[in-house]
Amino acid sequence: LTATAEVSSALLLGTLASRLGLLPKEVLQSLSKVAVGVFLPLFLGSAIAKGAAHAVRSGNVEPLLVLPVAGIAHTLLAFCVGLALCRLVGFGVWSQEARILSFMSAWGNASMIALFAESVFREEKELRHNVTVQLALYLLGSSITFWSLGYSVVESALHAENKEIDKVSGNGCSGNKWDGSWNAIAGTILRVFSVPPVIGVLVGLVVGLVPFLRCLVVPVSHKAPPPLEPLLQAAQTIGAGAVPSSTLILGASLLSARADDTDHGQGSNQSLQQRLESWRAVAVVAAARLLILPTIAGLGLCHLMGPAGVAKSASTTVGRAMMFQLLFQTCLPTACTCVLIPQFLGQPDIGSAMARMQAKVYLLAVPCSCLWLAEWLRQIGE
């Protein structure tokens, strides 16, 4: 409850700032560009550099091998579940709303796990530290897919203004047909790896894994600070604005949605907004993130490992932190950063509709995430 209350309070502050005129639409779009271009790359890069360096230096490389793969697997599984649910409730298989809803189903608010660990493991400082360090390793996998697959899917949905354009478009991921040429493949890969957060992830991984760079940048406890540690500290300080800025943007978008409905007369956008704000859309994302993903990826993992396997993995502090990470990441609500992409791409009305729908999912997430948390703590023997 403490963690969810903290996130809800941040959303409320963003809404209040927008109502007071402190975050008008122009400022919101500029803040989104700063968050995507500056805050998030520095946040991800510094966190992953420290997380990878800690795993290598401690000799506990299992989280470094397991958690990035888990981050990718969770997102791909939830994305497929979202597509299946969209078809089940009557949305088109690859329609605009199906793409956006599957995107919102795929990525959870991973940073919330640090807030939950702070509340649950209040007396276990080492365990909290391991949860925080391992969070960076999980983000290594989920962030790569978010800013590659997720960004491309949302971009294609926003550029498909009507069904005719959507059917005949052949530019990269933007439509259902693709010429498959090497130029198209190279262009898509180049565009994906030119997104600033992806660059931040890759730079952080290289710094954390390459011995020479690791010794120059990442500090070691009880030793003299490395010569380039101030660069890492500066990246952490500036990158700390990533989570609050994303939450502020989400909160401000909640209020601006209704205003955008009257300010913009684009029928296709209005229709898409209405479909995204429908209870069918809420049901798709809530069911994918709060019911199906934790059942398949969480309970399924526990069933495959068996009680003895789970107990063995959770017998050490590092193992407990990793099991907590693997299980709890499956039941978190949609990531706040989801609304950054439409804002960044100049579609604030769609971002507002996504924010309003996301707020409903967060209300449903309070009891669901707490129940799943109790089950995961029981599984790891807490």
Side-chain angles (χ1 to χ4, degrees), residues 16 41 43 75 113 135 147 152 171 173 193 239 259 269 309 312 332 353 355:
L16 180 62
F43 168 75
T75 55
I113 197 170
L135 171 60
W147 292 105
S152 298
N171 296 320
C173 299
F193 283 94
N269 269 3
K312 182 179 179 180
L332 293 172

Side-chain angles (χ1 to χ4, degrees), residues 2 4 12 27 52 55 65 74 80 124 146 182 216 227 237 249-250 260 267 271 284 294 302 327 330 332:
T2 302
T4 52
L12 182 61
V27 173
L65 300 175
H74 287 167
C80 293
E124 301 179 76
F146 183 93
W182 288 110
L216 282 177
T237 301
I249 292 168
L250 175 60
D260 285 339
S271 178
V284 166
C302 294
L327 295 174
T330 64
L332 293 172

